[in-house]
Amino acid sequence: MGPAAETPPSRRVRDWAESGVAALTGRPDGPPLVPPGDAATVGGSGRLLRTADGLAAVSCARPDDPALLGALICAEVDPADPWPAVTAWLASHSGAELADRAEMLGIAAAPVQPPTPPEPLPLAPPRSVDGLLVVDFGSLWAAPLCAHLLGLAGARVVKVETPSRPDGARRGNPGFYALLHGGHESVCLDPGRPADRAALSELVAAADVVVEASRPRALAGFGLDAEESVARGTTWVSITAAGRASGRVGFGDDVAAAAGLVARDADGPMFVGDAIADPLTGLAAAALACSADAPGRLIEVSMTDVVAATLTDSREASPTARQDGHRWVVDTENGVAEIVKPRTRPATGEAPELGRDTATVLRSLGIRTSGVSTL
């Protein structure tokens, strides 16, 4: 992931136009917008809101988020529409205060910062992952996309969930879930049960690659140790909002905006695409897991850093889209680029029901199933 400034402006504009993201960016009744940066070269639950000293991205995606937002502002909020109360509170409080409270409460919210691209991550030559066992603890989008791409490259992917916290994406669009999990195997284990906890530990010990997207203490609470796995030669891909040392929680929209990837028009700022930090991070994580130096390595993938790496410090204005017949286009130095709508990609197989393959997977790896709960 090299510095974004290497890409000519005309190429950046064309890549955004042809990516499908520009068609998803803009006002409902306005033209599509071309976002800043290089993200194309590689949603509805969040808001961009004014703080006393700038702008902040706040998500309200989980069932308990309205209550948490009420705790954040120390007031009751309407569970069906917490935004008026949150907006009023933010208007008189700083982004730093929001960040401190959000991290303490586990809310996906952060102030929007100027782009600060990190040092580029050098990629080693690629390795084959054909036949490797990938254990995926991820949920929603970024980590499952990483596992999905490894599966397309030939790896065996086992998705692990717990009875109390299945992947929230199961409640969403079935086609999207099937796209990310088609052809994978599903294991459901309860870390609160001794037999399940032991089976979980053995499953991780058998893995060539572990993919997870949680704060380090989450899997440590299951008795799993990333450093011990890495010492055995496992590739451990750790996806976080802002690094393993940070306690911040983040989703695709608020992380991207907080990192500086924000589109703007005369009426103000708006999110770029739909949770764009997730697919960018999933792609980056898969590329790193497929590198020759990945075995025996803890690969930290910060969503914030991935997004920041796509941005430049250029102040050049994005081109304005115009209509050409029935299509939207933008003018570049190298000609006209059509703004392409997103294209549907078919799933590669059936997505398994929760826990469908628990016993089968454990037996295939020589793990005892006696006393293990199965759905």
Side-chain angles (χ1 to χ4, degrees), residues 194-297:
D196 286 30
R197 194 180 182 92
L200 187 62
S201 179
E202 290 187 62
L203 177 59
V204 168
D208 298 294
V209 180
V210 173
V211 181
E212 50 95 359
S214 55
R215 288 175 287 182
R217 68 171 183 260
L219 291 186
F222 295 171
L224 304 177
D225 189 306
E227 284 75 15
E228 287 183 5
S229 294
V230 167
R232 293 194 297 264
T234 304
T235 299
W236 190 289
V237 180
S238 174
I239 297 173
T240 58
R244 288 173 67 84
S246 170
R248 181 179 157 198
V249 172
F251 298 121
D253 279 326
D254 60 271
V255 167
L261 183 51
V262 176
R264 299 176 186 272
D265 65 7
D267 295 324
M270 67 197 77
F271 291 116
V272 170
D274 181 13
I276 195 170
D278 282 307
L280 290 176
T281 302
L283 286 166
L288 291 167
C290 287
S291 60
D293 62 353
R297 180 178 163 205

Side-chain angles (χ1 to χ4, degrees), residues 40-362:
T41 305
V42 270
S45 61
R47 297 284 178 91
L48 283 170
L49 303 172
R50 295 289 178 188
T51 63
D53 56 356
L55 194 66
V58 183
S59 283
C60 185
R62 301 165 298 186
D64 57 348
D65 276 345
L68 291 173
L69 288 173
L72 181 132
I73 67 174
C74 299
E76 289 189 14
V77 301
D78 181 352
D81 184 14
W83 297 115
V86 173
T87 300
W89 184 87
L90 283 174
S92 59
H93 292 77
S94 69
E97 185 173 358
L98 167 67
D100 289 342
R101 292 191 178 198
E103 182 171 327
M104 179 177 63
L105 293 167
I107 296 171
V112 174
Q113 304 288 350
T116 53
E119 289 296 318
L121 294 175
L123 282 177
R127 63 160 173 164
S128 172
V129 296
D130 189 35
L132 297 187
L133 174 61
V134 175
V135 173
D136 172 25
F137 286 96
S139 60
L140 300 179
W141 196 350
L145 176 59
C146 173
H148 167 68
L149 294 173
L150 297 177
L152 291 181
R156 176 188 182 186
V157 179
V158 174
K159 182 175 181 65
V160 180
E161 299 163 272
T162 66
S164 60
R165 292 199 67 177
D167 186 346
R170 288 185 178 275
R171 301 190 299 268
N173 186 307
F176 180 70
Y177 189 82
L179 179 64
L180 290 181
H181 299 284
H184 297 177
E185 297 166 277
S186 174
V187 166
C188 185
L189 294 169
D190 183 354
R193 295 169 52 95
D196 286 30
R197 194 180 182 92
L200 187 62
S201 179
E202 290 187 62
L203 177 59
V204 168
D208 298 294
V209 180
V210 173
V211 181
E212 50 95 359
S214 55
R215 288 175 287 182
R217 68 171 183 260
L219 291 186
F222 295 171
L224 304 177
D225 189 306
E227 284 75 15
E228 287 183 5
S229 294
V230 167
R232 293 194 297 264
T234 304
T235 299
W236 190 289
V237 180
S238 174
I239 297 173
T240 58
R244 288 173 67 84
S246 170
R248 181 179 157 198
V249 172
F251 298 121
D253 279 326
D254 60 271
V255 167
L261 183 51
V262 176
R264 299 176 186 272
D265 65 7
D267 295 324
M270 67 197 77
F271 291 116
V272 170
D274 181 13
I276 195 170
D278 282 307
L280 290 176
T281 302
L283 286 166
L288 291 167
C290 287
S291 60
D293 62 353
R297 180 178 163 205
L298 174 57
I299 301 174
E300 291 194 46
V301 188
S302 159
M303 296 174 71
T304 300
D305 284 351
V306 169
V307 173
T310 73
L311 299 172
T312 72
D313 58 5
S314 172
R315 297 295 184 267
E316 63 188 24
S318 295
T320 302
R322 60 181 176 83
Q323 283 193 292
D324 179 13
H326 296 291
R327 62 178 189 161
W328 286 98
V329 300
V330 287
D331 296 307
T332 79
E333 294 176 359
N334 297 323
V336 174
E338 180 178 358
I339 293 181
V340 178
K341 293 182 179 180
R343 293 179 290 273
T344 302
R345 183 164 60 90
T348 57
E350 177 189 356
E353 296 295 324
L354 178 64
R356 183 195 68 183
D357 308 298
T358 301
T360 302
V361 168
L362 296 183

